[in-house]
Amino acid sequence: MSDFDFAPRLNEDNPDPRVACILALDTSYSMFDDGSRRFELAARPIDELNRGLRKFAEDANGDDLTRKQAEVSVIKFGPVAEVVVPFCEVREFTPPTLVAEGGTPLGAALQIAMSELEQRKQQYRAGGIEYFRPWLIVMSDGTPTDTGTFETAVHQLNDLERRKAVAVFSIAIGKNADVGTLSRLSVDRPAVQLNDVKSFGDFFVWLSRSLASVSQSDTHAETDGQHVAQGTQVTLPPIDGWGRV
Amino acid sequence: MAGGECNQLNESEWGSAHERWTIVGAKAEGNSHKKSGLPCQDFVGWTSLDDGTLILAAADGAGSAEYSEQGARNAVEGALRVAPLLWCRPQMRADISRTTQAVFLAARLSVMREAVRIEKPPRSLASTLTVAIVSLLETCVGRVGDGLIAIQDGVSISSPMRHADREYANEASFVTDRHWRNSLTLAVLESREISGIALSSDGLRLVACSDVRTGTPFEPFFEDLFKAAESGVSEEQLARFLESVDDRTGDDKSLLVAVRG
């Protein structure tokens, strides 16, 4: 044995474990023009958002594990809520170019997101694929316009998060964002305000890095009071490069 | 190790009790850990007693727990320090399952004591633990957490237990959990049927399991591992393998193998 490397046969057939991430993005008209006439053409939130999505695709594909484990879906809301990118592996993710128009049907977007997540989990289970707790990222610069739907959806989403079915991250864009309402989306953490319109890129790099560290995190198998209070137990990189609470 | 009482074990009680085992173990830091500046949080160890009883222990510190490297080390060292003392007592030797449970309690207390010593909450030293006590007649394997176990009975390779059903890939139980006893799984087997035992942390699960949900061993991997141990594979060779294998998890990896002869 002394001269040779130990090289046992390995199982090649197990699929990579997955972490599903849904991006629910506000594409209401204010993301193009919030009426303040402050924006130079190049710095409209919708443009920065699109740029940020490209940065995300690039950064996520730069990490070996993230490339194989992360799955992304993009839902937009404004004028309607719809899936623009159904779930795909990050290495196949083509960032969409989003256009801003209409109101803010955030409630409908949340419902679509919850339904997509449940469906994805079922697909994982059917395929014998391991998965980590999925993430839902919501970014909005205003306040929901479909209030009735929103109330029902938030209630359901809070319930899911309490049961550890999903981890919700809520991001408020710009000075007109309804931070109070956006903070209702998660029971574990308040909404984070994007520092400024230039911070989308930094946010998406942070997201990519955070997804990379998911496999090092732990989800507690038992409901032990002190641990439930601790939230996700994922050690995330600091947010101060792009946001503030 | 053991005191006077153990040295007076009756030879006839055990026959020629000196089974020979070859044991080798190694660990390697996971790529994800290296990237985030975490140390290797796996730990393995073993000891053999005068009567030929072998005790193996493997622990995997929780990735999100800052001091889990110390947690894993203390869990293993606590188990190995106390097991021989327990095994000295005839009533403990007569109930290997009870002994194993007591070993887990001792391991947990060792971690808790370390937490007090460094003034950190026990959760920050969280670690899984797998222990195998291989005596002449009976073997008991105990597990808290998601470590891998493979036992070769001369013909086939299998695990004596399956993982609990859990939704997420990173869900685990730890010896520091308040309800750790509910998570402790034990299996008692006849030693004479066992030609090899291997313990591993879950870092290797994608390449060493045929079913990651249940923890069922991938037989070719463990066949090769047991053969290598029989041929005298060194810790360095095992470590090199662990460093270079594409595990696809980025986790810390560790292996502890014992084969007869």
Side-chain angles (χ1 to χ4, degrees):
Chain A
M1 191 70 220
S2 45
D3 293 346
F4 297 95
D5 278 338
F6 171 57
R9 287 165 290 171
L10 304 175
N11 190 352
E12 318 264 312
D13 294 340
N14 283 320
D16 292 297
R18 303 295 158 84
V19 56
C21 181
I22 294 192
L23 301 170
L25 308 173
D26 189 334
T27 52
S28 61
Y29 183 70
S30 49
M31 289 287 285
F32 176 77
D33 183 354
D34 68 353
S36 67
R37 287 189 267 203
R38 287 188 304 114
F39 298 123
E40 301 294 314
L41 218 59
R44 295 181 189 278
I46 195 72
D47 296 328
E48 291 304 309
L49 174 56
N50 283 325
R51 227 184 294 265
L53 286 170
R54 293 195 287 275
K55 193 95 185 64
F56 174 74
E58 197 184 293
D59 199 78
N61 274 295
D63 180 274
D64 223 19
L65 278 182
T66 315
R67 279 189 69 231
K68 294 188 249 188
Q69 295 184 354
E71 295 196 333
V72 183
S73 167
V74 180
I75 297 172
K76 67 171 202 149
F77 48 101
V80 294
E82 58 185 351
V83 177
V84 285
V85 181
F87 269 117
C88 64
E89 292 176 26
V90 135
R91 52 185 157 187
E92 286 157 9
F93 174 58
T94 308
T97 301
L98 301 170
V99 168
E101 53 177 327
T104 314
L106 174 50
L110 294 179
Q111 293 190 323
I112 295 174
M114 288 187 279
S115 160
E116 264 222 309
L117 280 176
E118 184 50 40
Q119 224 180 22
R120 198 62 178 167
K121 283 186 183 183
Q122 279 170 19
Q123 286 167 346
Y124 290 150
R125 287 194 283 261
I129 299 172
E130 283 190 311
Y131 59 95
F132 300 100
R133 187 189 317 160
W135 291 29
L136 170 59
I137 314 284
V138 181
M139 304 186 83
S140 176
D141 75 337
T143 197
T145 48
D146 58 347
T147 33
T149 311
F150 178 75
E151 283 307 311
T152 316
V154 153
H155 192 75
Q156 253 184 296
L157 185 62
N158 288 164
D159 204 54
L160 283 179
E161 208 184 10
R162 268 185 217 105
R163 289 194 277 116
K164 304 293 171 199
V166 63
V168 180
F169 295 82
S170 179
I171 316 292
I173 303 164
K175 55 186 356 186
N176 294 330
D178 183 349
V179 178
T181 301
L182 291 173
S183 290
R184 290 178 59 200
L185 295 179
S186 172
V187 298
D188 287 336
R189 61 197 65 79
V192 175
Q193 288 179 266
L194 214 54
N195 281 338
D196 57 53
V197 77
K198 291 281 173 206
S199 302
F200 277 103
D202 292 332
F203 166 72
F204 278 106
V205 169
W206 175 91
L207 178 61
S208 167
R209 303 288 155 88
S210 300
L211 287 172
S213 64
V214 160
S215 56
Q216 273 170 258
S217 67
D218 312 283
T219 305
H220 233 69
E222 57 163 8
T223 41
D224 194 337
Q226 60 184 113
H227 299 131
V228 168
Q230 261 179 17
T232 64
Q233 287 144 20
V234 178
T235 316
L236 298 174
I239 66 168
D240 42 287
W242 54 269
R244 64 195 178 280
V245 172
Chain B
M1 236 173 41
E5 193 188 329
C6 263
N7 292 337
Q8 278 149 37
L9 277 178
N10 194 332
E11 257 295 315
S12 66
E13 207 180 329
W14 295 104
S16 46
H18 291 277
E19 293 287 338
R20 281 205 60 240
W21 289 86
T22 301
I23 306 138
V24 63
K27 60 187 179 127
E29 194 178 346
N31 285 328
S32 293
H33 285 230
K34 284 182 192 162
K35 273 185 207 157
S36 51
L38 283 174
C40 180
Q41 295 166 321
D42 277 7
F43 201 85
V44 299
W46 67 92
T47 188
S48 60
L49 311 183
D50 285 345
D51 69 347
T53 297
L54 179 62
I55 304 174
L56 309 173
D60 174 3
S64 62
E66 207 181 337
Y67 303 99
S68 66
E69 176 201 6
Q70 280 148 268
R73 174 190 301 270
N74 277 275
V76 168
E77 290 180 347
L80 297 177
R81 186 174 53 242
V82 170
L85 303 174
L86 293 169
W87 198 249
C88 260
R89 304 181 204 166
Q91 71 269 34
M92 295 308 273
R93 288 198 299 277
D95 190 343
I96 196 171
S97 175
R98 184 169 159 229
T99 307
T100 310
Q101 286 188 68
V103 167
F104 270 82
L105 178 58
R108 169 183 160 86
L109 289 176
S110 181
V111 177
M112 299 308 238
R113 261 200 303 274
E114 177 69 1
V116 169
R117 192 185 74 81
I118 64 174
E119 294 173 348
K120 298 292 173 192
R123 178 56 177 87
S124 63
L125 284 83
S127 174
T128 68
L129 179 66
T130 310
V131 173
I133 301 181
V134 188
S135 76
L136 179 70
L137 295 175
E138 288 186 309
T139 290
C140 184
V141 184
R143 175 174 70 189
V144 170
D146 54 4
L148 308 181
I149 305 162
I151 297 189
Q152 185 178 55
D153 66 3
V155 173
S156 62
I157 296 170
S158 63
S159 173
M161 53 189 73
R162 19 177 315 149
H163 290 320
D165 279 324
R166 60 235 161 116
E167 185 177 8
Y168 300 128
N170 56 347
E171 271 182 75
S173 309
F174 305 107
V175 293
T176 42
D177 291 350
R178 189 187 310 158
H179 303 298
W180 66 278
R181 279 188 199 276
N182 294 345
S183 315
L184 173 62
T185 311
L186 296 163
V188 180
L189 313 147
E190 289 192 45
S191 296
R192 64 169 173 199
E193 292 176 355
I194 300 173
S195 56
I197 300 190
L199 305 183
S200 168
S201 68
D202 74 331
L204 283 178
R205 71 185 183 282
L206 292 180
V207 300
C209 286
S210 58
D211 182 344
V212 291
R213 290 211 159 262
T214 55
T216 307
F218 179 62
E219 292 196 43
F221 172 83
F222 287 99
E223 264 174 43
D224 294 349
L225 179 64
F226 289 129
K227 269 207 199 75
E230 282 159 19
S231 310
V233 72
S234 69
E235 181 184 331
E236 289 70 35
Q237 282 168 308
L238 270 191
R240 267 206 303 276
F241 160 70
L242 292 174
E243 296 276 347
S244 61
V245 67
D246 177 16
D247 51 79
R248 302 158 55 210
T249 62
D251 281 353
D252 293 332
K253 293 149 281 188
S254 51
L255 276 174
L256 181 56
V257 199
V259 289
R260 267 192 213 280

